[in-house]
Structure formats: structure tokens, C-alpha cells
Amino acid sequence: MKKYISLTALFFCISFAGAQPIVKQKKEQIKALKVAFITEELQLSPEEASRFWPLYNAYEDKRKENKKEKVKGYLNRMDESSISNLSEKEATAMLTQMEAAEEEVFQARKKFIASLKGIIPAVKIIKLKQAEEGFNRKLLQQYKEKIRN
């Protein structure tokens, strides 16, 4: 019986370890598609692209880091039973944390947009928001279609 449990555990470890490179590869694939999509939608010149993408990537890294911190900070504590058991003081503190995290994201976006103003025209900055939303819609649509089939 112990041998069976050990073999099962080993199988899951190998499966999980094998899946990590696939997940990383898929994320990189999605990122490359997003870069191509946004570059095309904004019609970035090579000069604009060379100045735009480092800023965009830094902004995205900051946004992802903030999301990780938010998850670590309070979302992990937000299951139904724990929310129901929060005191008013704890709930107020959690709301303050949530607002601070959202404000940080907002300020990072404002700073990012301000830095773009010297690199690409305002029209392209507005198109960027549309392109990001369009890419996310397209990605979600493809995911839904994949689930249906």
C-alpha cells in the first residue's frame, strides 16, 4: 500500500513538474500575441515600439506584482465563512487595504500614461486601452470556444 501511495505521489509530482514549463510556454505565447496585437492596433513605428515596450513591460510587471500582493494580503482571507465572521473593525481595515491597493494600481497607470505622452501621440494612448480590452476579449472568446469543443 505504501508503495502504491509513493508511486501515486511521484506520478503527481512528475506531472506537475512537467506542466510548469507548458504553463510558462503558454504565458510567453500569449504575451507574444499581445505584443503583436497591440503593436498592430496602435500602428507603432519601430522607433515608437522601441521606446513604448520597455515602459509597457515595466508597467505590466508592476501591475502583476500589485496583484500578487493583493492576493497575498487580503483575498486569501476572503472565503464566505471568514467574511461572515469579520468584525466591523476587521472589515474596515480590509476595505482600507483594498482601497490602498486599488489606488496604487490607479497611480501606476497614471504615471505610465504620463510617461507615454512623450513617446506616442495621445490618440495612440487612447487606442492602447481599446487594444488591451480587445485582446482580452479575443483571448476570452478563444478560451470559451476551446471549452465548448
Side-chain angles (χ1 to χ4, degrees), residues 15 22-23 40 43 59 77 86 103 121 128:
S15 296
I22 293 169
V23 170
E40 184 177 319
Q43 299 177 346
Y59 166 71
R77 301 180 302 203
L86 284 176
E103 180 65 24
L128 172 62

mmCIF file of all heavy atoms in Angstrom, residues 15 22-23 40 43 59 77 86 103 121 128:
data_model
loop_
_atom_site.group_PDB
_atom_site.id
_atom_site.type_symbol
_atom_site.label_atom_id
_atom_site.label_comp_id
_atom_site.label_asym_id
_atom_site.label_seq_id
_atom_site.Cartn_x
_atom_site.Cartn_y
_atom_site.Cartn_z
ATOM 1 N N SER A 15 4.019 14.903 -13.003
ATOM 2 C CA SER A 15 3.020 15.568 -13.847
ATOM 3 C C SER A 15 3.027 17.068 -13.602
ATOM 4 O O SER A 15 2.988 17.866 -14.532
ATOM 5 C CB SER A 15 1.619 15.025 -13.552
ATOM 6 O OG SER A 15 1.569 13.670 -13.892
ATOM 7 N N ILE A 22 5.064 23.941 -19.556
ATOM 8 C CA ILE A 22 3.981 24.140 -20.521
ATOM 9 C C ILE A 22 3.219 25.416 -20.188
ATOM 10 O O ILE A 22 2.914 26.212 -21.070
ATOM 11 C CB ILE A 22 3.037 22.915 -20.553
ATOM 12 C CG1 ILE A 22 3.784 21.711 -21.120
ATOM 13 C CG2 ILE A 22 1.781 23.207 -21.357
ATOM 14 C CD1 ILE A 22 3.062 20.396 -20.968
ATOM 15 N N VAL A 23 2.917 25.629 -18.910
ATOM 16 C CA VAL A 23 2.212 26.835 -18.484
ATOM 17 C C VAL A 23 3.054 28.069 -18.803
ATOM 18 O O VAL A 23 2.547 29.051 -19.337
ATOM 19 C CB VAL A 23 1.858 26.771 -16.978
ATOM 20 C CG1 VAL A 23 1.344 28.110 -16.472
ATOM 21 C CG2 VAL A 23 0.842 25.670 -16.712
ATOM 22 N N GLU A 40 0.202 46.180 -33.716
ATOM 23 C CA GLU A 40 -0.578 46.354 -34.942
ATOM 24 C C GLU A 40 -1.726 47.347 -34.730
ATOM 25 O O GLU A 40 -1.952 48.227 -35.566
ATOM 26 C CB GLU A 40 -1.140 45.005 -35.397
ATOM 27 C CG GLU A 40 -1.875 45.087 -36.717
ATOM 28 C CD GLU A 40 -2.364 43.732 -37.183
ATOM 29 O OE1 GLU A 40 -1.620 42.743 -37.038
ATOM 30 O OE2 GLU A 40 -3.498 43.667 -37.675
ATOM 31 N N GLN A 43 -0.398 50.723 -34.481
ATOM 32 C CA GLN A 43 0.441 51.050 -35.637
ATOM 33 C C GLN A 43 1.718 51.756 -35.180
ATOM 34 O O GLN A 43 2.050 52.857 -35.635
ATOM 35 C CB GLN A 43 -0.335 51.888 -36.651
ATOM 36 C CG GLN A 43 -1.541 51.172 -37.209
ATOM 37 C CD GLN A 43 -2.367 52.014 -38.158
ATOM 38 O OE1 GLN A 43 -2.229 53.233 -38.252
ATOM 39 N NE2 GLN A 43 -3.247 51.358 -38.892
ATOM 40 N N TYR A 59 5.357 48.587 -16.580
ATOM 41 C CA TYR A 59 4.025 48.836 -16.012
ATOM 42 C C TYR A 59 3.306 47.515 -15.747
ATOM 43 O O TYR A 59 2.712 47.321 -14.683
ATOM 44 C CB TYR A 59 3.205 49.723 -16.953
ATOM 45 C CG TYR A 59 1.742 49.734 -16.613
ATOM 46 C CD1 TYR A 59 1.276 50.387 -15.471
ATOM 47 C CD2 TYR A 59 0.813 49.067 -17.410
ATOM 48 C CE1 TYR A 59 -0.072 50.381 -15.143
ATOM 49 C CE2 TYR A 59 -0.526 49.059 -17.087
ATOM 50 C CZ TYR A 59 -0.969 49.703 -15.947
ATOM 51 O OH TYR A 59 -2.297 49.683 -15.620
ATOM 52 N N ARG A 77 -7.905 35.616 2.422
ATOM 53 C CA ARG A 77 -8.712 35.545 3.649
ATOM 54 C C ARG A 77 -10.202 35.739 3.367
ATOM 55 O O ARG A 77 -10.995 35.810 4.293
ATOM 56 C CB ARG A 77 -8.272 36.626 4.634
ATOM 57 C CG ARG A 77 -6.821 36.514 5.029
ATOM 58 C CD ARG A 77 -6.474 37.595 5.994
ATOM 59 N NE ARG A 77 -6.744 38.907 5.422
ATOM 60 C CZ ARG A 77 -6.169 40.019 5.817
ATOM 61 N NH1 ARG A 77 -5.296 40.000 6.803
ATOM 62 N NH2 ARG A 77 -6.458 41.171 5.267
ATOM 63 N N LEU A 86 -16.125 38.339 10.121
ATOM 64 C CA LEU A 86 -15.319 39.540 10.324
ATOM 65 C C LEU A 86 -16.028 40.500 11.281
ATOM 66 O O LEU A 86 -17.242 40.697 11.190
ATOM 67 C CB LEU A 86 -15.102 40.277 9.005
ATOM 68 C CG LEU A 86 -14.105 39.722 8.010
ATOM 69 C CD1 LEU A 86 -14.140 40.562 6.732
ATOM 70 C CD2 LEU A 86 -12.712 39.693 8.577
ATOM 71 N N GLU A 103 -5.757 52.093 -5.324
ATOM 72 C CA GLU A 103 -5.162 53.416 -5.538
ATOM 73 C C GLU A 103 -3.756 53.286 -6.105
ATOM 74 O O GLU A 103 -3.360 54.054 -6.996
ATOM 75 C CB GLU A 103 -5.147 54.218 -4.234
ATOM 76 C CG GLU A 103 -4.553 55.600 -4.356
ATOM 77 C CD GLU A 103 -5.337 56.549 -5.247
ATOM 78 O OE1 GLU A 103 -6.549 56.357 -5.435
ATOM 79 O OE2 GLU A 103 -4.718 57.505 -5.759
ATOM 80 N N PRO A 121 1.610 59.615 -29.621
ATOM 81 C CA PRO A 121 0.544 60.618 -29.560
ATOM 82 C C PRO A 121 -0.603 60.182 -28.642
ATOM 83 O O PRO A 121 -0.811 58.992 -28.403
ATOM 84 C CB PRO A 121 0.050 60.717 -31.008
ATOM 85 C CG PRO A 121 1.002 59.950 -31.845
ATOM 86 C CD PRO A 121 1.796 59.071 -30.962
ATOM 87 N N LEU A 128 -4.566 52.384 -27.021
ATOM 88 C CA LEU A 128 -3.946 51.332 -26.214
ATOM 89 C C LEU A 128 -4.972 50.667 -25.307
ATOM 90 O O LEU A 128 -5.028 49.442 -25.218
ATOM 91 C CB LEU A 128 -2.791 51.896 -25.377
ATOM 92 C CG LEU A 128 -2.172 50.945 -24.344
ATOM 93 C CD1 LEU A 128 -1.566 49.719 -25.021
ATOM 94 C CD2 LEU A 128 -1.131 51.679 -23.512
#
